[in-house]
Amino acid sequence: LDIGVIAYPSRRAQMKLIPFRKDKLVLICDPTHDFAKKTAVSVRELDGQNFVGFEKDIPTHKAIEKVLQAHNVRVHYAAEVDNIEVIKRIVEVGTGISIAPEPAVRPEVRNKSLVAVPFSDGDFIRQLGIIHKEGRHFSPAAERFIQMLTNETPATPTN
């Protein structure tokens, strides 16, 4: 592989990291849920709710758990899955609520199958990064792809 795109990137031996985007996390629910009528929701309001989350070993799950714990909130996991598309489908049918990156739910919000509600207690952010093996020379296609993702002229790895 030339590159990988990961959430919550961290420094790793023999790997280079190019940070490229920060996604705002929002609460998502089906349009009939009580939260759908709100303009903002506090993390504390999630206490006791049925929740659809990522599997425990996924960095986004760990980050969401930190936010919940910091606000002393416990949710009831109705499902834990490995990707955002499945989370969105489960939330759409009313099984529970979730926290998701705002860009990932734009199509469903636009077609009104999901509602995205911002948090009133601050912005919660998910950092994305591009990783590649140290010393790797990019192919022209990989270089162009990195430029497209980062909107920069050259790809500039950091240590």
Side-chain angles (χ1 to χ4, degrees):
L1 295 174
D2 284 329
I3 62 172
V5 177
I6 60 172
Y8 300 103
S10 60
R11 306 263 181 240
R12 299 171 191 199
Q14 300 177 5
M15 298 297 287
K16 294 285 187 176
L17 168 65
I18 305 168
F20 82 97
R21 188 171 88 195
K22 293 180 180 180
D23 288 340
K24 181 178 176 180
L25 297 178
V26 294
L27 172 100
I28 60 169
C29 60
D30 75 272
T32 66
H33 194 282
D34 289 344
F35 290 155
K37 298 169 189 68
K38 294 182 168 259
T39 56
V41 65
S42 168
V43 175
R44 288 283 309 136
E45 294 179 77
L46 277 56
D47 196 50
Q49 292 284 323
N50 288 335
F51 195 81
V52 182
F54 289 97
E55 292 176 344
K56 287 181 179 17
D57 62 338
I58 294 176
T60 303
H61 175 96
K62 293 174 184 174
I64 290 169
E65 273 299 311
K66 282 184 183 177
V67 169
L68 296 175
Q69 289 173 2
H71 289 84
N72 207 23
V73 169
R74 288 190 177 182
V75 294
H76 301 288
Y77 279 92
E80 292 176 285
V81 298
D82 67 352
N83 72 77
I84 188 65
E85 293 304 316
V86 175
I87 288 174
K88 293 188 294 186
R89 299 301 82 83
I90 294 171
V91 172
E92 282 175 334
V93 298
T95 302
I97 60 172
S98 191
I99 297 174
E102 186 276 329
V105 298
R106 283 180 189 155
E108 291 79 10
V109 169
R110 201 170 22 253
N111 73 25
K112 299 184 184 342
S113 63
L114 285 176
V115 175
V117 185
F119 287 100
S120 60
D121 6 39
D123 286 340
F124 303 110
I125 303 297
R126 179 181 79 158
Q127 175 70 53
L128 297 178
I130 301 164
I131 59 170
H132 66 90
K133 191 171 181 139
E134 193 170 19
R136 163 86 64 184
H137 295 285
F138 297 128
S139 67
E143 179 71 31
R144 183 134 167 92
F145 183 62
I146 292 168
Q147 288 174 3
M148 183 183 75
L149 289 176
T150 60
N151 291 319
E152 294 179 357
T153 306
T156 51
T158 60
N159 291 327

